[in-house]
Amino acid sequence: MSTENRFQFAKSAVLDEVMLLEASMSDFSYGTHAHEEFSFGVTLSGRQDFFALGEHHKSHAGNVIVFNPDDAHDGHSGADDPLHYKMLYVHPDQLSPMLESAGVRRAQGFRIEHPVQNDAELKAHILRLATLVENDTSSALEYSSALFEFAEYLARQKGIQRSVSLVKSKRRTKDPVFERVRDYLHAHVGEDVSLDELSQVAHMSKYHLLRCFRDYFGMTPHQYWQNYRINRAKAALELGMPLADVAFTFGFTDLSYFNRRFKPMFGLTPYQFRRTLLRT
């Protein structure tokens, strides 16, 4: 086998049934096979040719490839340049409850019709999840939120529009359930809070909580928690707390991760933000 053929697997640290493959291949060909998981891939460069569902398919750079569980397929590089792609494997046991919460009835039988798609939003969802698998600092809450939003998009692809929760119409009146969840997030600002913990606080299923919390606050639990942590970190910087202490206090594993979270919200790194305060 050529040294240009490389296959690197990575398993999610917090979701047992999510795995990522990053592959580069030039002269390798997959035999006909099938997976028990959903397979969501992005062709990064080159071209991927394969036979599935009775037809030959070609996935060019930027395209998305989708195989349902038990879809038999093969695969090989279809161009002179090496093929480079990422493939995310998500078990139905992990995805089906998310699809049900997104409004899909009989989610166990859910199937995606087109093996090759040119869909920028679908591609973005897949690569977002792939990045979470690759990043050791990703939290369980971040994974769950990203997977739920992915399931919602897959449902919308099918034309399934989830009915809007009554929670939205009651937003002007405080709901003690979601206020309690919010208070729990505030009290554990520096910890790695899981969706299972929040579902116990709310006394509802975690998938129902994901949907209703977002209807209530306009953000998933992870987005809300991340936003709260960044705002508290900003306030601590204003009070003069050292950068390393701020990162540690509010649950950022290192300064690099703190920078990546802080800058998209304020346009500056924490260090740059501190410098602007010192000049004023």
Side-chain angles (χ1 to χ4, degrees):
M1 183 183 296
S2 168
T3 57
E4 294 183 9
N5 299 318
R6 297 184 179 89
F7 305 88
Q8 180 67 48
F9 285 92
K11 194 167 177 60
S12 166
V14 292
L15 294 182
D16 290 338
E17 295 174 316
V18 177
M19 182 176 286
L20 174 69
L21 165 65
E22 181 168 1
S24 296
M25 46 194 268
S26 56
D27 60 0
F28 178 81
S29 296
Y30 288 107
T32 301
H33 65 287
H35 303 280
E36 62 180 17
E37 304 93 351
F38 283 95
S39 306
F40 301 101
V42 175
T43 303
L44 300 173
S45 62
R47 193 184 80 206
Q48 188 163 0
D49 292 5
F50 62 94
F51 184 83
L53 303 179
E55 297 180 6
H56 290 282
H57 303 272
K58 300 180 186 297
S59 174
H60 298 270
N63 286 163
V64 168
I65 296 175
V66 181
F67 299 121
N68 299 289
D70 300 323
D71 279 355
H73 60 279
D74 56 18
H76 59 90
S77 175
D80 293 335
D81 295 332
L83 168 66
H84 182 204
Y85 70 95
K86 291 185 179 183
M87 185 71 75
L88 193 73
Y89 302 97
V90 184
H91 198 279
D93 290 348
Q94 190 74 60
L95 189 60
S96 293
M98 298 285 190
L99 290 168
E100 288 175 0
S101 186
V104 176
R105 296 181 180 180
R106 296 183 292 276
Q108 289 292 343
F110 183 84
R111 289 183 59 83
I112 298 167
E113 296 176 6
H114 303 295
V116 178
Q117 302 182 34
N118 184 16
D119 186 324
E121 189 169 353
L122 179 58
K123 173 185 171 183
H125 278 289
I126 296 168
L127 293 180
R128 177 189 177 193
L129 283 162
T131 299
L132 292 179
V133 175
E134 293 166 335
N135 189 348
D136 292 338
T137 61
S138 302
S139 69
L141 192 58
E142 189 172 11
Y143 264 114
S144 298
S145 296
L147 192 57
F148 174 68
E149 291 171 348
F150 183 40
E152 280 196 317
Y153 182 72
L154 293 176
R156 290 199 303 273
Q157 268 199 330
K158 285 279 196 177
I160 298 169
Q161 296 294 327
R162 178 179 60 82
S163 58
V164 177
S165 169
L166 293 177
V167 174
K168 268 191 176 177
S169 63
K170 297 177 180 179
R171 182 64 182 94
R172 293 180 181 176
T173 303
K174 289 189 175 182
D175 187 309
V177 172
F178 300 107
E179 295 294 322
R180 188 166 66 245
V181 173
R182 181 197 64 182
D183 291 344
Y184 185 88
L185 288 170
H186 288 188
H188 297 80
V189 64
E191 302 173 24
D192 188 2
V193 179
S194 72
L195 189 59
D196 288 319
E197 290 176 63
L198 297 183
S199 68
Q200 292 175 11
V201 172
H203 303 295
M204 64 174 61
S205 79
K206 56 187 179 182
Y207 307 112
H208 187 56
L209 171 63
L210 269 173
R211 184 185 71 191
C212 293
F213 187 98
R214 192 180 63 182
D215 286 345
Y216 187 75
F217 286 107
M219 292 180 279
T220 64
H222 174 261
Q223 290 169 331
Y224 180 93
W225 181 60
Q226 196 73 271
N227 184 75
Y228 181 75
R229 290 200 303 163
I230 289 293
N231 278 307
R232 296 284 65 75
K234 172 177 171 286
L237 288 172
E238 292 173 9
L239 292 174
M241 183 183 290
L243 288 176
D245 291 348
V246 173
F248 176 78
T249 299
F250 296 101
F252 300 99
T253 53
D254 53 46
L255 288 177
S256 176
Y257 182 51
F258 186 25
N259 288 341
R260 292 199 304 272
R261 295 300 185 182
F262 191 93
K263 188 172 182 179
M265 193 163 171
F266 296 107
L268 300 170
T269 67
Y271 175 77
Q272 291 168 333
F273 177 76
R274 167 68 62 76
R275 288 283 299 257
T276 62
L277 294 179
L278 294 174
R279 289 199 298 267
T280 58

